[in-house]
Amino acid sequence: MIRVGVNGYGTIGKRVADAVAAQPDMELVGVAKTRPNFEAEAALRRGYDLYAAIPERADAFTDAGVETAGALSDMLEAVDVVVDCCPSGIGAENQPMYEAHDVKAIYQGGEDAEIAEASFNARGSFETARGDDHVRVVSCNTTGLSRVLAPLEETYGIEKVRATLVRRGGDPAQSDRGPINDIIPDPVEVPSHHGPDVNTIFPDVDIDTLGLTVPATHMHTHSLNVTLETEPDREAVIDLLAGENRTFLIPEAAGIDGAGKLKEYAMDAGRPRGDLWENCIWERSVNLSGRDLYLFQNVHQEADVVPENVDAIRAMCTELPAEESIARTNEALGVGLDSLLADGGEGERLTADD
Ligand code: NAD
C-alpha cells in the first residue's frame, strides 16, 4: 500500500483525499488543515485523521472540540508521498519541509513548473514522472487541453493549436472572488501563459492561447482550433476522442447546452459533489475545415485534476504501466461517462426533464 497524506484540504485537497481513499493500492494516512472549519468537520465525518498544518494554531482545533491525530510533521513521518493542495505559492514554501522529511511530494498547477522535476498529465507525460520525488500536476485548463492534444498528436500530428480559454471567475464557494459582472481579457497579454504551460507536457507542440474571465462558477469553456498535419474525416475524429477514457462526448440529443446542465447531468448520475472528471466535448461542435479541427469543450476546474493526482502518485511510487494506473484510477472512482444517448437511438431511456 502506498501511504499518502494530503496537505491543504480545500477545493482540490478534499477531492484528492476522497480519490486516494478509494484506491485499492493506497492508504490515506490523513489530511492536514490550518483551521477547524466546516471542511475539518467533513474530514472527520469521513473518518480521516486530521493533522494541524500550523503548529501555533493547533490549540484552535482543541478549542473547537476537534480532535487531531497530531501535527503536520507527524503526518509527514507516516507517509510515502504528500499531495500538497495548498493555495498557489504555498507549495513552494512547503517544499523544504517535505525535503527535510524525505517524503515525495506532488504540487498543484498554481505552482511554477520549476518547483518539480516533472509536470504531469497521465495521458500526456506519465513516464516523465516515473520515480521522481517532486512532481507538479498541471492546472485544470492544461489538463483539459492535454487530454485532447495527446490523441490528436499521436494520430494525425499537430501543426498548430489556437485555444481561447473562457474561464470561470471563481469556484462556487469562493465568495471572495465575486460577485462580478464583466468579461475580462485575463491575462490581457496575448498569447497567454497557458500555452507555455501546455509545453511542459508537450514541449514540441506549437500552441497559442488566449484567456478571458467571465462571471460564472461551474466550469471553464475552451474554444479550440487545431491545425492537423493530415486531413481526417469528422467521424474519425469523433471516434478518436470518444475512445479516450477521460473524455465525454456530449450527444446532441442530451439537450445539454452549457455548464449548468452538465452539472445537473453529473448530479443525476450520482457523481460526488456533482464532479465531472472528464473533458466534456460537444459532439456537434467537432468539425473540420480542411486540416483545421474546431471544437468546444468544458472542463470542471474543481475535478479534472483529481484522477491525475492519483496517477501521479503511482508514476512516482510504482512501476505500474500508465494504462493500468489510469484504468485502476478510473475504475475506483467511476471515471468515464457514457451517455445512453451516444448513438442517438435510445432517447426514451432517459428522463432528463423529470
Ligand atoms: P483552496 O483555497 O480551495 O484550498 C486550499 C486549502 O489550503 C484551504 O483550505 C486553505 O485553508 C489551506 N491552506 C492554506 N495555507 C495552508 C498551509 N500553509 N498549510 C496547509 N493548508 C493550507 O484552493 P484550491 O482551489 O484547492 O487550490 C489548491 C491548488 O490547486 C492551487 O495550486 C490551485 O492553483 C490548484 N488548482 C485549483 C483549481 C481550482 O479550480 N480550484 C483547479 C486546478 C488546480
Side-chain angles (χ1 to χ4, degrees):
M1 295 290 262
I2 311 167
R3 297 166 302 160
V4 184
V6 174
N7 186 25
Y9 193 72
T11 305
I12 301 299
K14 68 174 90 168
R15 289 170 166 83
V16 169
D18 289 354
V20 166
Q23 303 306 311
D25 53 348
M26 296 182 193
E27 175 198 350
L28 181 71
V29 171
V31 302
K33 274 201 57 62
T34 56
R35 290 173 293 162
N37 65 355
F38 74 97
E39 286 166 323
E41 185 181 329
L44 291 174
R45 283 190 196 281
R46 283 172 150 75
Y48 300 159
D49 278 352
L50 205 54
Y51 292 84
I54 299 176
E56 306 84 69
R57 293 202 215 151
D59 287 349
F61 288 86
T62 320
D63 295 347
V66 173
E67 197 181 329
T68 63
L72 171 58
S73 57
D74 298 316
M75 185 179 90
L76 294 178
E77 283 302 310
V79 301
D80 302 306
V81 56
V82 60
V83 186
D84 185 292
C85 298
C86 294
S88 304
I90 305 287
E93 293 176 15
N94 288 337
Q95 188 168 44
M97 175 172 55
Y98 301 147
E99 286 170 341
H101 283 273
D102 199 18
V103 67
K104 290 177 184 275
I106 293 174
Y107 308 89
Q108 304 306 311
E111 305 298 328
D112 291 340
E114 291 69 39
I115 195 173
E117 297 153 89
S119 286
F120 185 86
N121 170 257
R123 184 64 178 81
S125 67
F126 194 101
E127 289 306 327
T128 64
R130 183 72 77 187
D132 282 354
D133 290 332
H134 297 270
V135 167
R136 180 185 72 123
V137 171
V138 291
S139 74
C140 46
N141 280 308
T142 304
T143 295
L145 290 170
S146 299
R147 286 179 183 165
V148 171
L149 297 183
L152 293 176
E153 168 73 350
E154 286 164 14
T155 311
Y156 307 119
I158 291 176
E159 186 176 302
K160 174 87 187 178
V161 182
R162 296 175 179 84
T164 301
L165 313 179
V166 182
R167 301 150 68 203
R168 58 88 178 99
D171 294 337
Q174 282 182 309
S175 47
D176 57 335
R177 289 177 74 162
I180 57 171
N181 177 21
D182 211 336
I183 300 169
I184 301 171
D186 179 23
V188 72
E189 294 83 22
V190 176
S192 74
H193 56 282
H194 302 94
D197 202 42
V198 171
N199 288 137
T200 67
I201 304 294
F202 306 103
D204 300 328
V205 165
D206 184 1
I207 176 168
D208 285 340
T209 51
L210 295 79
L212 295 155
T213 298
V214 297
T217 61
H218 287 321
M219 302 180 90
H220 301 300
T221 300
H222 295 172
S223 165
L224 206 57
N225 165 215
V226 184
T227 306
L228 302 167
E229 287 175 351
T230 53
E231 192 175 328
D233 67 32
R234 176 175 182 265
E235 292 311 315
V237 175
I238 288 173
D239 286 348
L240 178 75
L241 296 175
E244 291 291 306
N245 54 30
R246 288 182 183 163
T247 60
F248 169 48
L249 271 281
I250 307 167
E252 191 176 355
I256 293 174
D257 59 4
K261 289 197 180 74
L262 272 171
K263 291 286 288 180
E264 282 292 310
Y265 186 82
M267 288 187 280
D268 289 349
R271 284 291 178 87
R273 301 185 177 94
D275 279 353
L276 286 154
W277 298 296
E278 304 84 355
N279 287 26
C280 302
I281 302 168
W282 273 276
E283 185 170 326
R284 179 114 189 255
S285 75
V286 179
N287 261 307
L288 278 131
S289 172
R291 290 186 290 116
D292 274 321
L293 167 68
Y294 295 93
L295 62 83
F296 284 126
Q297 68 172 358
N298 268 23
V299 296
H300 183 195
Q301 74 281 356
E302 299 169 296
D304 72 336
V305 298
V306 171
E308 307 295 330
N309 274 274
V310 173
D311 290 324
I313 293 170
R314 290 204 192 88
M316 296 165 78
C317 300
T318 76
E319 296 298 322
L320 200 69
E323 301 71 33
E324 287 181 37
S325 174
I326 291 168
R328 193 178 292 179
T329 305
N330 290 355
E331 170 76 22
L333 293 181
V335 176
L337 283 167
D338 207 4
S339 174
L340 299 177
L341 303 167
D343 63 5
E346 300 186 56
E348 68 284 359
R349 290 167 66 185
L350 275 191
T351 53
D353 292 338
D354 290 351

